[in-house]
Amino acid sequence: MITDLPNLLTLSRIVAIPVLVALVAINRPGAAALACLLFIIAAVTDYFDGHLARSRKQQSDLGRMLDPIADKLLVGASLMVMAGLGKLTFGALWPAVVILCREILVSGLREYLAGTRISLPVTRLAKWKTGFQMTAIGFLLAGDSTGVLLGMPWLPVSLLGAVMLWIAAVLTLITGWDYLIAGLRHVEQAAPKTTIDSIS
């Protein structure tokens, strides 16, 4: 089961994390560009692992467990290493804190709801949040040095990343609140057992 292609793609995101962290720590223009590229590739696998699992009928409990873990490790590691190296400029540290707190909240809800088998479907707004969040982190990893490296020194890469991270943080607060209210509602209603879905 772990050797199924969808699960291998999910595991590749986890394996990519130490390489990504090392590239950011090198703190060179070329390394920043490679870190951005690696993050993009890892983010793209998030789409393909789910798509392949459904099309190949290889959905499994292992995949459902690993997928959100890989996503949160990738996002958390990227934000923390940039925070530690002072790369979250233009006030981007604050939306990063909001995003990480929301991930902890969602993980806590998942742990509780896993025991009651309650389903929390992914909303369209949550998908927008993920899109802004991943794009923002990619821009922040690249930094202004990548713009210079690509012959576009006029492009405010870091500023664009910070703005998108703020937008992602606002969407994070909205979707996090929605999930919290939905979780509390299920606690009060003691709903019957159903299959839990991934929260993104």
Side-chain angles (χ1 to χ4, degrees):
M1 186 183 299
I2 198 170
T3 57
D4 291 343
L5 182 57
N7 289 337
L8 290 176
L9 288 175
T10 301
L11 288 170
S12 71
R13 293 205 297 281
I14 299 176
V15 173
I17 291 172
V19 181
L20 177 66
V21 169
L23 287 171
V24 177
I26 291 173
N27 201 23
R28 300 283 185 181
L34 287 174
C36 175
L37 179 61
L38 180 60
F39 182 83
I40 292 171
I41 294 172
V44 169
T45 66
D46 186 28
Y47 167 77
F48 281 108
D49 60 6
H51 177 74
L52 288 173
R54 289 186 293 271
S55 63
R56 294 185 172 205
K57 301 186 184 304
Q58 292 180 329
Q59 293 170 297
S60 65
D61 289 337
L62 178 64
R64 281 187 285 270
M65 179 191 73
L66 286 177
D67 186 64
I69 291 174
D71 294 343
K72 287 169 175 49
L73 286 176
L74 181 65
V75 170
S78 298
L79 291 175
M80 285 189 288
V81 71
M82 286 192 291
L85 295 173
K87 292 181 176 292
L88 293 180
T89 54
F90 301 103
L93 176 62
W94 304 112
V97 170
V98 171
I99 288 170
L100 290 176
C101 287
R102 186 264 193 186
E103 298 300 338
I104 295 171
L105 170 66
V106 169
S107 295
L109 284 173
R110 177 179 289 110
E111 183 177 352
Y112 169 75
L113 294 175
T116 59
R117 297 291 182 182
I118 297 297
S119 173
L120 284 180
V122 178
T123 64
R124 179 171 296 183
L125 190 61
K127 294 179 180 179
W128 276 100
K129 182 273 300 181
T130 300
F132 272 104
Q133 177 178 286
M134 294 308 221
T135 305
I137 293 174
F139 270 73
L140 290 167
L141 286 169
D144 293 334
S145 62
T146 299
V148 174
L149 191 66
L150 296 176
M152 295 183 290
W154 45 267
L155 186 65
V157 179
S158 295
L159 177 60
L160 290 172
V163 169
M164 284 187 286
L165 199 66
W166 274 104
I167 295 173
V170 172
L171 297 178
T172 287
L173 287 173
I174 297 171
T175 57
W177 177 256
D178 289 342
Y179 284 133
L180 178 60
I181 294 301
L184 292 175
R185 188 181 302 120
H186 287 305
V187 172
E188 294 174 354
Q189 294 177 350
K193 293 185 177 182
T194 55
T195 303
I196 187 169
D197 293 331
S198 296
I199 300 174
S200 176

